[in-house]
Amino acid sequence: MDIELVAKGKHTLHGLNFYLSYFDDVAKVLPREDYCFIVGGWVRDRILGEPVGENIDVDFLVTCDPVRVAQEFANRTGGHFFVFEKKGILIKRPVVASVVIHLPPYRYRFDFSQVKGKDLEKALEEDLRERDFTANAIAVNLDDVLSIGAKQTIVFDPTEGIKDLENGLLRPISEENLKRDPVRILRGFRLSIEKELELTEDFYTFVDKNKSLILKAPAERITHELFKIVKHPKGSKVIRRLYEVGLLEIVIPEFSKLKRVKDQGEHHLYPLDEHTLRILEEVERVTEERTKYLSVELLGDFGCRRFLGEFTDVELLKWGALLHDIGKPDTFEIKEGKVTFYNHDKVGEEIVKKIGGKLKWGEQATRFIGKLVRYHLRPFYLRESFLKGELKRRGMANFWKECGDIAPHLFLLSIADAFASGDSQEDIKALLETISELESFKRNELKEIRIEPLLNGREIMAILNISQGKMVGELKKRLEEAQIEGKVRTREEAIEFIKGAYQDILTAGGSHG
């Protein structure tokens, strides 16, 4: 890209580099006497020559009321309009009006803020100098981009962001700017990987001394940035950096405990923290290559479920990978010379609920991630049964009943876990064959199985003359399993089965409660 320096803090570029068809709509709703500048990531990425992806974010600075402009732009384009306010006395742009447009697979987000000042160029420069990194402090005038002479578009660059981009650097504008909005620390690590830029030494020095500042940021904004990190195909590199510099454990203190578990026992090659980082890397890989491991039919709507606005179930799978063993430090024991982590899956699910609540993940996302953690061992248990020739209809039916809504995610997680644990090729092959067996069972047999119990709870209580309690629930469960296995097919058989199961439980020391 040809860049010409025309004055200090100014360059010229061909305007078509920055063009997007929606900019014509913005121009049509902008009052004639006002100005609009395109700033931030859109400008940066066009200078870097990056292709326009499916998620498109554009920031505008306007000299008029941003709310009115955004509302009219939304009306014109059919987008979803909303306004949010940033709180704090040092916030430069307290009101941001946004418009989101969904045209699958594309998602556009346009943010409008106001720039004020009698000297417009000075006001623009001050605004740019308040931003996070020099690479994001570059602006172009919308009129210049849309004009016939767009090849002479002036680029405002008061912090020499273009020079840093040419040198492959991501440089913070000032420490004060980072302190003012600590989420920018997370953004810096993300952008360095996404844009393949090297963070400058002063950034690392600042982070080392000011890690705890991140706790001053709102939980929702921390979560948004962390989810954007794992959304990127190379997000695992960012997560590893955050862990290495100590930021991850400040945001999620439970990660600090991973270091305690150096030995995970005979089935693992790596300490717990390294295994955790590696499984995220493997999840990225197997997710990218998912059709190599799972059928198109099984994958179904994988990646299509929306959470927290712009994110999907793929990001939740990656969080499930990061947290799948989070319960291990609290369940670590050595019994008879062997390392054990009994119930770490259940403990992990409870920890996920705590983390999700603290970081405002929302009930749906938290439940999804928690369920992945709770059942992440299930495919391996089924693999053991498969290898022993003991994979029964009951076990497969129970899997689809309990995990059907997360099955493809659970399978990909288990495959990644196997690779990250150093499983042998034979064990990985057996895992894939187990998954294939489960899929075949679902396709050919599951629909034929009558899951509806032949006896309900009240009928069981009447037959056995017992009161409501845990015993009834256990008997209903056993009856359902017997029906799945084909051992019980009629109501009469169900009554006899319940009587026998009741006596078995009492003999084993069970109680009515």
Side-chain angles (χ1 to χ4, degrees):
M1 182 180 292
D2 294 328
I3 303 173
E4 181 181 349
L5 179 65
V6 295
K8 185 176 181 181
K10 293 183 183 179
H11 306 263
T12 59
L13 287 171
H14 199 295
L16 289 178
N17 289 309
F18 306 103
Y19 180 74
L20 187 69
S21 60
Y22 280 113
F23 293 171
D24 294 308
D25 297 292
V26 174
K28 288 174 181 176
V29 299
L30 189 72
R32 186 180 297 273
E33 68 277 9
D34 283 293
Y35 293 90
C36 175
F37 296 92
I38 309 164
V39 298
W42 176 263
V43 179
R44 175 202 65 223
D45 290 350
R46 304 293 73 75
I47 292 172
L48 287 171
E50 292 195 355
V52 178
E54 294 179 354
N55 288 285
I56 298 142
D57 295 313
V58 183
D59 296 323
F60 297 106
L61 284 176
V62 294
T63 56
C64 53
D65 178 10
V67 176
R68 187 190 64 78
V69 172
Q71 179 71 77
E72 292 187 13
F73 176 67
N75 293 340
R76 183 180 180 86
T77 59
H80 172 63
F81 165 80
F82 60 95
V83 177
F84 64 93
E85 296 185 9
K86 297 179 182 179
K87 297 180 180 179
I89 59 174
L90 297 176
I91 297 298
K92 187 75 173 178
R93 296 170 295 281
V95 177
V96 180
S98 299
V99 178
V100 175
I101 302 171
H102 284 286
L103 292 173
Y106 298 99
R107 177 188 178 277
Y108 299 83
R109 174 167 173 162
F110 302 95
D111 288 341
F112 296 81
S113 305
Q114 189 172 30
V115 59
K116 297 180 180 179
K118 293 182 179 179
D119 185 334
L120 180 55
E121 190 169 321
K122 182 179 178 182
L124 175 62
E125 180 175 327
E126 289 177 354
D127 183 286
L128 295 175
R129 288 187 181 278
E130 293 286 333
R131 294 178 179 262
D132 48 12
F133 299 91
T134 62
N136 293 333
I138 309 171
V140 294
N141 189 324
L142 179 64
D143 284 344
D144 286 353
V145 172
L146 298 178
S147 70
I148 295 175
K151 62 183 180 180
Q152 293 300 321
T153 297
I154 293 178
V155 180
F156 297 89
D157 179 25
T159 63
E160 298 189 314
I162 291 177
K163 180 180 178 181
D164 282 336
L165 288 175
E166 289 175 335
N167 291 323
L169 298 175
L170 186 63
R171 184 190 307 278
I173 292 173
S174 73
E175 289 190 2
E176 287 304 312
N177 290 6
L178 296 177
K179 289 179 180 178
R180 191 177 297 115
D181 186 1
V183 171
R184 291 170 168 177
I185 297 172
L186 296 177
R187 188 182 304 148
F189 283 101
R190 172 173 62 83
L191 290 176
S192 70
I193 297 298
E194 284 186 6
K195 310 305 172 185
E196 298 182 350
L197 299 170
E198 184 178 347
L199 284 161
T200 53
E201 195 60 39
D202 55 335
F203 176 83
Y204 285 107
T205 301
F206 174 84
V207 171
D208 187 52
K209 295 179 180 178
N210 299 276
K211 286 191 285 284
S212 60
L213 277 177
I214 193 65
L215 297 177
K216 294 184 178 182
E220 295 87 348
R221 293 192 61 221
I222 291 174
T223 285
H224 187 259
E225 193 58 52
L226 288 174
F227 269 69
K228 286 185 79 171
I229 287 170
V230 298
K231 185 174 185 175
H232 192 270
K234 296 180 181 177
S236 60
K237 291 186 177 181
V238 187
I239 293 296
R240 182 177 285 276
R241 284 195 185 181
L242 294 179
Y243 180 73
E244 289 170 349
V245 301
L247 262 173
L248 193 58
E249 63 189 59
I250 288 179
V251 176
I252 304 176
E254 290 79 3
F255 274 104
S256 64
K257 296 181 180 180
L258 300 184
K259 299 173 184 175
R260 299 179 191 170
V261 184
K262 302 295 184 184
D263 180 8
Q264 292 196 79
E266 58 184 339
H267 297 297
H268 289 274
L269 294 176
Y270 307 102
L272 182 55
D273 57 351
E274 179 62 24
H275 170 71
T276 297
L277 296 172
R278 283 177 178 263
I279 191 174
L280 181 57
E281 295 170 3
E282 291 293 348
V283 161
E284 288 176 344
R285 184 181 64 80
V286 299
T287 299
E288 187 69 24
E289 303 173 354
R290 55 188 177 275
T291 55
K292 175 180 175 182
Y293 301 104
L294 305 181
S295 70
V296 173
E297 178 186 355
L298 181 57
L299 286 167
D301 64 350
F302 180 84
C304 297
R305 286 183 259 180
R306 288 275 174 183
F307 297 88
L308 298 171
E310 66 186 85
F311 304 109
T312 72
D313 46 302
V314 177
E315 284 74 69
L316 302 193
L317 166 59
K318 292 177 181 179
W319 275 106
L322 268 174
L323 297 170
H324 79 293
D325 278 345
I326 201 69
K328 277 189 172 180
D330 292 339
T331 56
F332 173 83
E333 287 187 289
I334 297 179
K335 291 186 176 182
E336 299 179 0
K338 290 187 176 182
V339 175
T340 65
F341 304 99
Y342 292 127
N343 291 320
H344 78 271
D345 46 353
K346 297 176 184 176
V347 171
E349 182 182 25
E350 294 305 311
I351 293 174
V352 168
K353 292 177 183 177
K354 177 183 174 184
I355 295 171
K358 176 185 172 185
L359 292 180
K360 308 293 177 63
W361 283 350
E363 184 178 347
Q364 280 188 313
T366 302
R367 190 188 309 118
F368 191 104
I369 297 168
K371 192 169 183 178
L372 282 173
V373 172
R374 171 69 180 84
Y375 290 105
H376 77 273
L377 293 175
R378 182 66 68 86
F380 295 107
Y381 293 152
L382 294 172
R383 179 179 68 179
E384 288 181 22
S385 298
F386 174 78
L387 288 171
K388 294 176 182 176
E390 299 174 356
L391 186 56
K392 306 295 185 183
R393 298 169 83 238
R394 180 180 70 180
M396 291 189 284
N398 282 340
F399 171 83
W400 287 110
K401 177 184 175 183
E402 295 173 352
C403 306
D405 58 329
I406 60 167
H409 309 78
L410 207 53
F411 291 148
L412 291 172
L413 177 59
S414 65
I415 294 166
D417 198 357
F419 280 115
S421 300
D423 280 19
S424 67
Q425 288 298 317
E426 290 77 11
D427 283 342
I428 292 173
K429 181 184 178 184
L431 179 61
L432 295 176
E433 289 175 348
T434 303
I435 293 170
S436 179
E437 193 75 16
L438 284 163
E439 184 180 5
S440 176
F441 172 80
K442 180 189 178 186
R443 184 187 304 113
N444 301 319
E445 297 186 54
L446 188 60
K447 293 179 182 178
E448 301 174 6
I449 296 175
R450 184 179 178 184
I451 300 296
E452 295 80 8
L454 292 166
L455 299 172
N456 61 35
R458 280 193 289 271
E459 290 171 325
I460 292 172
M461 287 188 285
I463 292 166
L464 300 174
N465 193 27
I466 60 176
S467 58
Q468 188 172 356
K470 292 181 180 178
M471 173 69 80
V472 178
E474 177 61 25
L475 289 168
K476 285 177 65 179
K477 179 182 176 184
R478 291 194 181 195
L479 176 58
E480 183 177 312
E481 290 175 349
Q483 288 179 230
I484 291 171
E485 291 179 326
K487 295 178 179 178
V488 175
R489 300 178 185 276
T490 67
R491 179 179 172 82
E492 290 71 25
E493 289 176 349
I495 292 172
E496 291 303 313
F497 176 84
I498 285 295
K499 290 178 180 178
Y502 178 59
Q503 290 301 320
D504 290 343
I505 293 173
L506 291 180
T507 303
S511 64
H512 293 190

